[in-house]
Amino acid sequence: MLREYFANLKIGSKLSIAFVTLVIPLVFMSYLSLSTIAEKIVFAESEVDSLNLVKPLRKLLESSAKHRGNSLIFSNNRDDSVRGKLIQLQAEIKAIFSDVNRALQAKDDEMLYRQIEELNKEWKVVESNALTNSFSRNLEQHNAYIDNILYVMSKVTDISDLTFDPSPDNYHLMVSVTHDIPLVVNNMGLLRGVGAGVLASKNRTPEQLLSLGVLQKVVYDSVENLKVGRDASFEYNRDLKASLESFYDAAFTAQAKASETVNAKLINTEEIDYPAVDFFDEMTVVIDDMFKLNDSIIESLIGLLEER
């Protein structure tokens, strides 16, 4: 009966039915495609906003690590030049918190607002005690504060799904800037602070020797993770190698040299006579090169995301 119905239709009606039959699936597929593209755009924009928040948090980590190192040296020698560096760093950190709050406005996340506010309060306690605390107390307070900077960075990552990016090159680079490089920097900062404190006092306790060995191992493992991520990103996206390889090489070379210094001048020696300032500066080179790598990766990531 249905066959007879269609057989009796005029040619115009048959063409209309055929047209509708073909167009409906095309419209539906186009809708799905546009929806997917829109979702990708929104996801990419969210990632860019998050990376723009990670940048000042990265600077906060850098300046706070420098403040920790100088405060530990000051705890041992009460040098006025070190006091001056601490005061300068405190002014820098105050300005960086303002940058963090400005970047935070794009995220409009109440939980992050509260966490940044608590972090700022914790910093003010660290700042107020830095010139009077003992070595161990300064180390303890700074470590807790810097651990919380790393925690806030991880929450930015979680909230924005930064490490769930579907592109393999983006994924590995995201993990590097939100996890591996901050770990290297934090533990290099601890090496710098503890090592410089040992050299300034010309005395190394068994506990400090153990800490130095553990920190060396943690830094080594984090650097190996960075190398794995680098290789995977370069394999997937050859263009990244041209823009990032020199930054990776500089950071890894500086870290290897610093590791040799730690072993030779602090761990595998009985004579604690290496200049504390020289040691501090050498460890700072590694941290600076890691931050340069971090900044270069972030800029490459923003470029990749804006191309979507």
Side-chain angles (χ1 to χ4, degrees), residues 106-302:
K107 294 302 297 176
D108 192 26
D109 187 283
E110 185 62 31
M111 184 180 72
L112 279 178
Y113 272 109
R114 290 198 301 270
Q115 289 174 338
I116 296 296
E117 185 178 359
E118 288 302 315
L119 190 64
N120 199 353
K121 289 179 181 177
E122 188 173 8
W123 157 246
K124 288 177 180 177
V125 173
V126 171
E127 178 185 27
S128 65
N129 295 324
L131 296 174
T132 56
N133 269 343
S134 65
F135 180 97
S136 59
R137 186 60 178 154
N138 252 332
L139 182 61
E140 179 185 352
Q141 286 192 342
H142 277 84
N143 286 354
Y145 160 64
I146 290 174
D147 283 346
N148 281 332
I149 296 177
L150 294 172
Y151 174 75
V152 171
M153 291 178 73
S154 72
K155 296 310 295 182
V156 173
T157 303
D158 293 342
I159 290 169
S160 308
D161 290 333
L162 282 177
T163 53
F164 290 95
D165 193 289
S167 300
D169 51 348
N170 288 2
Y171 166 77
H172 288 290
L173 294 180
M174 292 286 191
V175 171
S176 294
V177 298
T178 61
H179 183 264
D180 295 330
I181 293 176
L183 274 182
V184 173
V185 167
N186 184 39
N187 286 289
M188 283 302 304
L190 282 169
L191 270 173
R192 178 176 62 183
V194 174
V198 167
L199 293 168
S201 65
K202 299 186 182 300
N203 180 55
R204 182 195 62 200
T205 67
E207 291 79 11
Q208 289 170 328
L209 179 60
L210 177 61
S211 293
L212 291 167
V214 170
L215 289 169
Q216 280 273 72
K217 180 64 168 60
V218 173
V219 169
Y220 173 83
D221 289 344
S222 298
V223 168
E224 289 302 301
N225 289 337
L226 270 175
K227 291 178 179 177
V228 170
R230 173 202 60 183
D231 294 344
S233 295
F234 288 178
E235 180 66 26
Y236 185 82
N237 187 337
R238 299 290 184 176
D239 293 338
L240 289 172
K241 185 173 183 178
S243 59
L244 294 177
E245 186 172 36
S246 62
F247 292 100
Y248 276 105
D249 289 345
F252 293 156
T253 299
Q255 187 276 323
K257 183 175 181 294
S259 180
E260 291 176 2
T261 299
V262 173
N263 285 331
K265 303 301 182 181
L266 282 168
I267 294 178
N268 301 322
T269 182
E270 294 301 323
E271 297 183 7
I272 310 298
D273 56 3
Y274 194 68
V277 173
D278 291 350
F279 178 84
F280 190 91
D281 290 344
E282 189 171 334
M283 299 303 112
T284 298
V285 169
V286 182
I287 294 171
D288 288 346
D289 283 343
M290 284 290 171
F291 278 129
K292 289 175 185 176
L293 171 61
N294 186 284
D295 291 347
S296 300
I297 291 175
I298 287 178
E299 292 308 313
S300 293
L301 278 170
I302 290 175

Side-chain angles (χ1 to χ4, degrees), residues 2 14 114 195:
L2 188 60
K14 290 179 179 179
R114 290 198 301 270

